[in-house]
Amino acid sequence: MNLLDGDPLWVLMLVAATSFSAAFVRGLAGFGFAILLVPVLAIAVSPPQAVLMTNVIAASLGLLEIRWILRNADTSAFLMAICVALVTPVGFLLLTVTPSNFSRAVITFVSISAFVAVFRPRALRKRPRSLATVSCGAASGFLTGFAGMPGPPVIPYYLAQTVSREIAKASMQLVFTVAALSGLAAGLVTDDLRLDRTLLGLCLLPIVFAGNLLGARAFGKISEQYWHFAVATVLAIAAAGAVYRLIWPD
């Protein structure tokens, strides 16, 4: 199935609507873009191509906001980003040789674990050590390449700490921007990054920028409690979608 040649109109409309919605969630929660967009893109293209298209858009969003991200991100995010860059190619290579049923099972387990981890008490947890940060970054890098979803390990890492939502959001977006760039680099090395998919991702940018801007404005107006509720809701949707694709893959 080719998005640029012969796909039904409803598929293109679904991709556009999901791109806007996923970008709004990213602007509001600081994450969720790939979690929501990759499954929809996979309707029309192969999983590796869906991952790469999402990385094109996510990298563009991150670079647009890079000054704000660097100014507000926690120091742990820089160490985590290095680990993501190193491990992402490994995950992408495994994706190309892994049976789809097994990859769906891994994604489902990780999505559910991330949702459950959000509800761990924040104030009772100490600041993670460097080993925990490295492990989280390595897991995020693997999932970036394997599923285009760097968020599940990173989101609980920051939400479990007593840091402000601005620091948490900027830290997550720094990791996700590096993850997207690393995913694109892996696609170039393996010759899986196709020009038509890159162009389509770039064509979606106006819609994505608008959704992200609206989400960012809403981020500044809601309370900390409602922000955490929004985060938990997105993770619940992602977990439910992963379970659905595991039970009914076609």
Side-chain angles (χ1 to χ4, degrees), residues 16-88:
T18 305
S19 298
F20 179 86
S21 302
F24 178 85
V25 170
R26 178 193 181 277
L28 174 63
F31 73 95
F33 185 75
I35 291 174
L36 297 176
L37 186 57
V38 169
V40 173
L41 288 179
I43 294 175
V45 298
S46 67
Q49 293 300 321
V51 168
L52 290 172
M53 284 178 60
T54 301
N55 285 337
V56 169
I57 304 172
S60 301
L61 280 174
L63 294 176
L64 178 71
E65 301 174 332
I66 194 63
R67 292 181 62 184
W68 180 86
I69 291 172
L70 293 176
R71 186 171 63 249
N72 292 280
D74 186 70
T75 54
S76 61
F78 293 89
L79 175 58
M80 197 179 297
I82 294 173
C83 298
V84 167
L86 294 174
V87 179
T88 292

Side-chain angles (χ1 to χ4, degrees), residues 24-25 27-29 165-166 214-231:
F24 178 85
V25 170
L28 174 63
R165 57 180 176 172
E166 286 79 12
L214 291 176
R217 290 182 177 178
F219 173 77
K221 296 179 181 179
I222 63 174
S223 67
E224 192 92 12
Q225 179 181 1
Y226 281 108
W227 181 72
H228 278 272
F229 175 78
V231 168

Side-chain angles (χ1 to χ4, degrees), residues 57-237:
I57 304 172
S60 301
L61 280 174
L63 294 176
L64 178 71
E65 301 174 332
I66 194 63
R67 292 181 62 184
W68 180 86
I69 291 172
L70 293 176
R71 186 171 63 249
N72 292 280
D74 186 70
T75 54
S76 61
F78 293 89
L79 175 58
M80 197 179 297
I82 294 173
C83 298
V84 167
L86 294 174
V87 179
T88 292
V90 177
F92 190 76
L93 289 174
L94 286 177
L95 172 65
T96 61
V97 298
T98 301
S100 58
N101 288 338
F102 180 76
S103 63
R104 289 191 186 103
V106 172
I107 294 170
T108 301
F109 173 77
V110 173
S111 299
I112 294 174
S113 299
F115 173 68
V116 173
V118 166
F119 294 97
R120 295 183 65 184
R122 299 175 69 201
L124 298 179
R125 292 194 63 193
K126 297 179 180 179
R127 186 175 179 82
R129 297 180 179 180
S130 296
L131 179 59
T133 303
V134 169
S135 299
C136 184
S140 178
F142 174 79
L143 287 174
T144 297
F146 192 77
M149 295 166 52
V154 180
I155 298 161
Y157 176 94
Y158 284 108
L159 264 64
Q161 301 180 49
T162 53
V163 298
S164 70
R165 57 180 176 172
E166 286 79 12
I167 292 176
K169 180 181 177 181
S171 299
M172 289 189 291
Q173 291 188 351
L174 173 61
V175 175
F176 299 157
T177 300
V178 172
L181 292 171
S182 301
L184 292 177
L188 284 172
V189 171
T190 59
D191 201 29
D192 286 297
L193 183 60
R194 292 170 45 182
L195 178 61
D196 58 348
R197 301 300 182 229
T198 303
L199 292 176
L200 179 58
L202 294 176
C203 288
L204 291 171
L205 285 181
I207 297 174
V208 169
F209 286 161
N212 185 71
L213 179 61
L214 291 176
R217 290 182 177 178
F219 173 77
K221 296 179 181 179
I222 63 174
S223 67
E224 192 92 12
Q225 179 181 1
Y226 281 108
W227 181 72
H228 278 272
F229 175 78
V231 168
T233 300
V234 174
L235 287 176
I237 294 172

